[in-house]
Amino acid sequence: MSHTLDLSRAAPSAEKPPVNLSGLTRAGLREALIAAEICPPEKAKMRASQVWRWIHHYGVTDFGLMSDIGKDVRAKLAETFTLARPEIVERQISKDGTRKYLIRTAPGIEVEAVYIPDVGRAGALCVSSQVGCTLNCTFCHTGTQKLVRNLTAAEIVAQVQVARDDLEEWPSPKEDRRLSNIVFMGMGEPLYNLDNVADAIDIISDNEGIALSRRRITVSTSGVVPQLQALGERTAAMLAISLHATNDPLRDVLVPLNKKYDLEALMAGIRAYPGLSNARRVTFEYVMLKGVNDSPAEARALLKLIEGIPAKVNLIPFNPWPGTDYQCSDWKTIEVFAAILNKAGYASPIRTPRGRDILAACGQLKSESEKVRASAVRKAEQAVEAA
């Protein structure tokens, strides 16, 4: 049985906001319609399918546009529920086409999503699963931000909806998608929020909605080993491992979660991942840190570590952020590292640095937003004192 880290905070108001139907699974949507007396139980499946298609295939945010549903039912839906999108606090477009969104889903709750063109079949959206993070990986900017809470399924799905609004990709296209892949590689550790992540994947992959294949949805974890089996069984998503080191002493520093689940335990969990095969390879993510983990000896150690696992290795040039002690490996060093892996038969693409002109390192845009808000608060306090 899986467990979700419950770090939600109660809303400051006693009055609960209306439920956003965008974040409900099919079963949850049917139950909500019955509970709200929108329809009797015997008609709930049909009514839920109608509403579902309008939300997730056509992308509507107005119940009034659901033309195959009676006006009185639409009115009751609007009185009871919401389809509102969250606020886009900031939207940036890089010269390379990368789009980054800072999204406010509730007061004080801001998350980032990044659309990267020419990744996967057409383009990938990197989504967040938590506000902040508990893992404190030393090379990761999000690791400098305290964990606020888990995102709900609605808040995860909303990131996809915002990107598709921006890309003008409604109704859901069957071909020529611009957004073809989803990667849970944004803020937070997805396996500490597995219930909501699994529900979001169910919604995103439904064939009558956004309809992205589970083979095109990848969940990246730093190595929450006890949850790997549940992730595979519940989502059938592709697995990515945020590895970054080939020995425990170094990984204890770079990825402190390793102190709890060491490399031996992690590799055993990966080998047992449901559906792992040459057709469903695990992706090892390996950030290239100058003088830290980028030597030919480390490349050979990596080969030994992953021997026999159907896998590819994504080599990620480090994207510097203000205050970091790390530097990106030299390009020649990265190429030598990749050549060693390639010669051994492992695909090892070097990820092209994207969006460096728009604070693309995960968590940077949120930090800048918080600095701006803090500055505004200080100025307001100073004005009051001067009055």
Side-chain angles (χ1 to χ4, degrees):
M1 183 176 178
S2 66
H3 299 279
T4 296
L5 189 64
D6 184 5
L7 292 162
S8 59
R9 295 180 176 179
S13 170
E15 185 178 343
K16 293 179 67 174
V19 171
N20 193 319
L21 296 184
S22 299
L24 300 183
T25 62
R26 274 187 180 271
L29 178 56
R30 288 195 299 269
E31 291 169 5
L33 296 181
I34 294 169
E37 299 182 345
I38 299 294
C39 59
E42 61 271 19
K43 293 187 177 181
K45 184 176 181 181
M46 177 273 293
R47 184 67 77 202
S49 291
Q50 289 178 307
V51 174
W52 181 277
R53 190 164 174 78
W54 282 110
I55 297 171
H56 298 296
H57 177 69
Y58 291 103
V60 303
T61 57
D62 181 354
F63 289 106
L65 297 176
M66 298 181 177
S67 56
D68 60 350
I69 298 175
K71 285 186 178 180
D72 55 335
V73 177
R74 281 182 268 165
K76 191 166 184 180
L77 284 167
E79 290 172 4
T80 312
F81 302 110
T82 181
L83 299 174
R85 297 283 196 264
E87 176 188 358
I88 301 175
V89 178
E90 193 161 353
R91 169 183 175 271
Q92 297 183 347
I93 300 181
S94 168
K95 58 187 178 184
D96 64 23
T98 299
R99 301 184 182 209
K100 185 158 191 175
Y101 312 96
L102 181 63
I103 301 168
R104 182 175 296 141
T105 63
I109 303 298
E110 294 177 355
V111 295
E112 296 176 355
V114 182
Y115 170 74
I116 309 170
D118 307 316
V119 171
R121 192 177 75 182
L125 182 70
C126 180
V127 299
S128 298
S129 56
Q130 295 179 311
V131 187
C133 191
T134 60
L135 299 185
N136 301 315
C137 298
T138 55
F139 60 87
C140 176
H141 191 274
T142 304
T144 67
Q145 302 172 7
K146 67 179 181 179
L147 181 67
V148 178
R149 67 165 171 83
N150 288 328
L151 292 179
T152 65
E155 290 169 328
I156 296 170
V157 172
Q159 296 171 64
V160 182
Q161 293 172 326
V162 163
R164 292 188 57 162
D165 289 346
D166 194 37
L167 295 169
E168 299 181 347
E169 201 157 63
W170 301 107
S172 297
K174 291 185 177 179
E175 304 293 339
D176 301 323
R177 290 178 180 266
R178 297 177 70 185
L179 200 172
S180 61
N181 294 67
I182 302 291
V183 292
F184 283 80
M185 296 181 183
M187 301 168 65
E189 167 52 63
L191 298 197
Y192 280 152
N193 189 20
L194 182 54
D195 287 342
N196 289 315
V197 167
D199 282 352
I201 290 175
D202 284 346
I203 294 166
I204 294 164
S205 63
D206 188 282
N207 286 332
E208 292 189 357
I210 296 171
L212 286 177
S213 165
R214 292 174 188 266
R215 296 278 302 268
R216 297 195 177 277
I217 300 173
T218 300
V219 177
S220 175
T221 175
S222 292
V224 185
V225 174
Q227 294 289 65
L228 290 175
Q229 187 80 13
L231 172 68
E233 291 175 349
R234 295 181 61 180
T235 72
M238 304 298 283
L239 176 65
I241 300 294
S242 189
L243 187 63
H244 314 306
T246 62
N247 60 80
D248 286 323
L250 178 56
R251 197 164 190 268
D252 285 350
V253 174
L254 297 180
V255 186
L257 182 66
N258 194 73
K259 298 173 184 176
K260 189 171 185 179
Y261 309 114
D262 64 15
L263 285 170
E264 182 179 359
L266 177 58
M267 291 301 144
I270 293 167
R271 293 176 190 277
Y273 188 72
L276 188 64
S277 65
N278 286 328
R280 295 177 62 84
R281 296 176 294 170
V282 62
T283 297
F284 288 102
E285 300 165 280
Y286 196 95
V287 67
M288 301 299 293
L289 303 171
K290 187 174 184 177
V292 176
N293 65 352
D294 60 354
S295 69
E298 293 282 0
R300 290 188 287 271
L302 178 56
L303 289 174
K304 185 175 181 181
L305 184 67
I306 67 175
E307 185 177 3
I309 298 175
K312 71 172 184 177
V313 182
N314 275 351
L315 300 179
I316 308 168
F318 177 62
N319 199 350
W321 42 270
T324 182
D325 293 327
Y326 295 107
Q327 299 177 41
C328 182
S329 303
D330 299 327
W331 197 256
K332 180 64 177 176
T333 300
I334 299 176
E335 288 180 330
V336 169
F337 198 102
I340 293 171
L341 301 181
N342 284 325
K343 187 176 180 181
Y346 288 94
S348 52
I350 302 171
R351 185 181 296 176
T352 304
R354 306 295 291 270
R356 288 191 168 180
D357 56 324
I358 58 167
L359 301 171
C362 188
Q364 280 186 266
L365 197 57
K366 181 173 184 289
S367 287
E368 289 301 307
S369 173
E370 289 174 346
K371 288 178 184 176
V372 169
R373 288 203 308 274
S375 176
V377 170
R378 284 196 298 271
K379 288 179 180 178
E381 289 174 344
Q382 290 169 358
V384 170
E385 292 172 357

